[in-house]
């Protein structure tokens, strides 16, 4: 893990510790790399409950509750599936937050409509989810590393914005 990733993992660690919040992952193409990034710093057992590696649609449906119709109509590589994966992981693993990834890391598997390198990331709570679409193909290893890094950055930023919104609410009430 590179230095920047360790810094982000530590920041996420501190924010989750302070809130006494929990997180889980729902990973398809990243196959557990996001979970690995979350546990890269000591103390992760306080907030990381676990992850679901859902490489196939059957697991997305049966373990995360992603709609069969959604998967059939839009494929597993879409924003709505990434959102559903976050909500499903929060519910299934009983966590405050979840991070999800679904996409085509390569080198094969892409189509004209969904080329290799297309990866949807999502993070948030069961009710509030942020998404990000990656579309650049730099080879399988780099695609997975980039997806993991972007997912952690997005989650860190989500936590920071949530904290800022809470502070504004508290100040307005005072």
């Amino acid at each position: 893990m590179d230095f920047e990733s360790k810094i982000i993992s530590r920041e996420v660690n501190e924010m989750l510790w302070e809130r006494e919040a929990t997180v889980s992952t729902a990973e398809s193409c990243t196959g557990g790399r996001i979970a690995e990034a979350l546990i890269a710093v000591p103390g992760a057992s306080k907030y990381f409950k676990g992850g679901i590696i859902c490489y196939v649609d059957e697991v997305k449906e049966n373990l995360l509750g992603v709609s069969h119709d959604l998967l059939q109509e839009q494929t597993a590589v879409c924003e709505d599936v990434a959102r559903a994966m976050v909500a499903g992981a929060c519910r299934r693993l009983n966590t405050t937050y979840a991070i999800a990834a679904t996409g085509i890391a390569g080198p094969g598997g892409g189509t004209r409509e969904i080329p290799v390198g297309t990866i949807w990331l999502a993070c948030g709570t069961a009710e509030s989810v942020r998404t990000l679409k990656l579309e650049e193909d730099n080879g399988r290893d780099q695609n997975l590393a980039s997806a993991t890094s972007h997912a952690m950055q997005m989650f860190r930023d989500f936590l920071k914005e949530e904290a800022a919104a809470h502070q504004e609410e508290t100040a307005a009430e005072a």
Side-chain angles (χ1 to χ4, degrees):
M1 176 176 286
D2 65 27
F3 185 69
E4 180 184 352
S5 296
K6 285 186 180 182
I7 291 172
I8 292 169
S9 293
R10 180 153 311 281
E11 287 178 287
V12 166
N13 171 301
E14 291 170 1
M15 287 185 274
L16 292 171
W17 267 79
E18 288 171 8
R19 296 171 195 200
E20 298 182 2
T22 55
V23 65
S24 59
T25 60
E27 301 183 66
S28 185
C29 62
T30 50
R33 287 178 180 226
I34 297 168
E36 181 182 23
L38 285 166
I39 64 151
V41 293
S45 61
K46 168 105 168 131
Y47 56 83
F48 182 69
K49 284 194 169 184
I52 296 173
I53 307 301
C54 47
Y55 229 64
V56 296
D57 290 355
E58 174 187 359
V59 176
K60 290 175 182 74
E61 287 180 47
N62 294 336
L63 291 182
L64 295 172
V66 176
S67 161
H68 177 79
D69 292 340
L70 173 62
L71 289 162
Q72 292 302 304
E73 292 167 13
Q74 295 189 37
T75 79
V77 184
C78 72
E79 182 176 21
D80 290 341
V81 167
R83 287 178 175 281
M85 289 169 65
V86 167
C90 285
R91 282 191 301 273
R92 189 70 171 182
L93 295 168
N94 192 31
T95 56
T96 316
Y97 304 103
I99 306 170
T102 184
I104 304 171
T111 64
R112 181 175 298 150
E113 296 79 24
I114 306 172
V116 170
T118 304
I119 300 173
W120 276 100
L121 304 171
C123 70
T125 66
E127 299 80 29
S128 176
V129 179
R130 171 181 291 176
T131 62
L132 174 67
K133 183 180 183 183
L134 304 179
E135 299 182 274
E136 195 168 321
D137 180 17
N138 293 306
R140 182 178 183 80
D141 290 340
Q142 186 55 43
N143 291 346
L144 294 172
S146 177
T148 301
S149 177
H150 278 90
M152 290 297 290
Q153 290 171 27
M154 181 174 59
F155 184 52
R156 177 199 56 197
D157 294 346
F158 179 89
L159 292 173
K160 284 182 176 181
E161 289 170 17
E162 190 180 64
H166 178 72
Q167 286 177 340
E168 287 178 18
E169 288 175 17
T170 304
E173 292 172 2

